[in-house]
Amino acid sequence: MSDHDNDEDPQRLFEQAMQGVQPIKSKKRHDQQRRPSADIPESTLNTRRTAAQRTESGGGAALSEAWVEPVDPEQRIDFSRPGLQHTRLRQLRQGMIPVRYQLDLHGYKIEEARELISEFLYFSKTQGYACVRIIHGKSHRSTDRQNTLKSHVNHWLRQIPDVLAFCSAPPSEGGTGSVLVLIRKK
């Protein structure tokens, strides 16, 4: 074997190239677990516990990640399935249906929120809750309106068959930073 052959050895070339390289020192490692905030509402913690105990796979993966229509922070959102009584929809819009449970998505990434919403609605339906609130915030600081939680919540809720209707909450119940969701009975 000649000296030229040793120079062509990929392992040797790699070792030569890596001489003097130091690992990057990072405060947070990728394998560290995200610690829950102390101010997470009890309803959100209960939803997480239920999701962790559930053996079947979550439905969040089925929610589309296709193009999401951008929603402005102060824009009211509204949706109802065909056949829903106008009286029931009016009651929802006016906040006249008691909210039985809520999920606060502040601080969550879009991927986390998608799974939480799916699990939250599944849990709410199994408990027989007719109306729940999802707090998504307004994302005033976001420059990309398509990538706001509000836009995604609006998109995802339309895909879930058990959601009969949803609308931005009245100002006394969170306004355009949250939605009231009417759920199909089990």
Side-chain angles (χ1 to χ4, degrees):
M1 231 165 125
S2 69
D3 287 336
H4 180 67
D5 289 337
N6 285 339
D7 289 339
E8 298 296 321
D9 179 32
Q11 180 66 30
R12 185 167 162 17
L13 289 173
F14 177 77
E15 289 171 0
Q16 285 178 344
M18 293 296 112
Q19 282 181 340
V21 172
Q22 296 291 322
I24 297 174
K25 301 234 190 291
S26 173
K27 291 181 183 178
K28 184 166 181 157
R29 295 181 9 210
H30 72 283
D31 60 342
Q32 290 176 330
Q33 292 291 325
R34 178 178 174 201
R35 294 185 185 167
S37 172
D39 59 348
I40 294 175
E42 187 62 31
S43 61
T44 302
L45 293 174
N46 287 339
T47 301
R48 286 184 187 171
R49 285 184 199 110
T50 301
Q53 293 169 355
R54 213 170 123 201
T55 57
E56 61 189 80
S57 64
L63 296 176
S64 169
E65 277 301 314
W67 183 82
V68 175
E69 182 179 347
V71 177
D72 288 327
E74 297 300 331
Q75 180 180 339
R76 294 191 58 77
I77 54 179
D78 198 297
F79 170 81
S80 67
R81 299 228 180 264
L84 184 68
Q85 294 178 345
H86 294 291
T87 304
R88 195 70 170 151
L89 184 58
R90 189 185 80 246
Q91 290 172 336
L92 182 68
R93 287 179 181 145
Q94 294 175 348
M96 296 173 65
I97 303 172
V99 173
R100 300 287 310 272
Y101 212 47
Q102 77 176 17
L103 173 66
D104 189 350
L105 297 175
H106 282 104
Y108 285 98
K109 295 178 182 173
I110 290 172
E111 300 81 27
E112 296 168 324
R114 180 174 62 166
E115 191 65 34
L116 276 172
I117 286 172
S118 179
E119 297 296 338
F120 172 74
L121 292 173
Y122 173 82
F123 175 80
S124 297
K125 182 178 179 182
T126 61
Q127 296 301 308
Y129 299 151
C131 183
V132 295
R133 177 182 14 249
I134 298 176
I135 303 167
H136 48 67
K138 297 183 184 182
S139 304
H140 277 293
R141 292 175 284 177
S142 178
T143 56
D144 183 2
R145 292 284 172 238
Q146 184 178 348
N147 289 326
T148 64
L149 275 176
K150 182 174 183 173
S151 297
H152 280 79
V153 168
N154 181 45
H155 180 71
W156 293 330
L157 289 178
R158 295 168 190 265
Q159 298 175 40
I160 301 172
D162 289 331
V163 172
L164 295 175
F166 66 89
C167 63
S168 293
S172 63
E173 302 232 5
T176 57
S178 64
V179 289
L180 301 179
V181 182
L182 193 60
I183 302 172
R184 185 182 314 271
K185 292 180 182 178
K186 56 178 176 171

